[in-house]
């Protein structure tokens, strides 16, 4: 997670852009980039965002 943006709003934007442009799911993104899904979700959840599998983005 060190390579990811530390600011939660920049992380949100980066993650949603990656999900929109490159990955069909959060699992694909995390597996490909070797990111702990739980850590990423926890960090964004702390800022008030949750992942929607239906829309494949954090809301």
């Amino acid at each position: 997670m060190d390579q990811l943006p530390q600011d939660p709003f920049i992380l949100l934007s980066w993650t949603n852009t990656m999900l929109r442009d490159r990955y069909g799911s959060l699992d694909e993104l995390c597996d490909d980039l070797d990111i702990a899904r739980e850590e990423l979700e926890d960090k964004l959840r702390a800022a008030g965002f949750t992942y929607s599998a239906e829309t494949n983005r954090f809301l």
Side-chain angles (χ1 to χ4, degrees):
M1 291 274 306
D2 291 338
Q3 73 274 20
L4 298 179
Q6 296 303 307
D7 180 276
F9 295 100
I10 295 172
L11 179 61
L12 171 71
S13 178
W14 178 87
T15 303
N16 280 341
T17 298
M18 295 295 278
L19 289 168
R20 182 191 68 221
D21 294 348
R22 297 184 183 182
Y23 297 100
S25 72
L26 184 58
D27 286 327
E28 284 181 33
L29 180 146
C30 291
D31 288 345
D32 191 45
L33 300 177
D34 197 29
I35 298 169
R37 178 182 171 146
E38 187 175 308
E39 252 184 270
L40 178 59
E41 285 189 288
D42 287 348
K43 193 167 203 171
L44 289 170
R45 190 177 301 114
F49 304 105
T50 57
Y51 178 68
S52 167
E54 278 184 22
T55 60
N56 191 34
R57 67 184 183 132
F58 281 86
L59 305 169

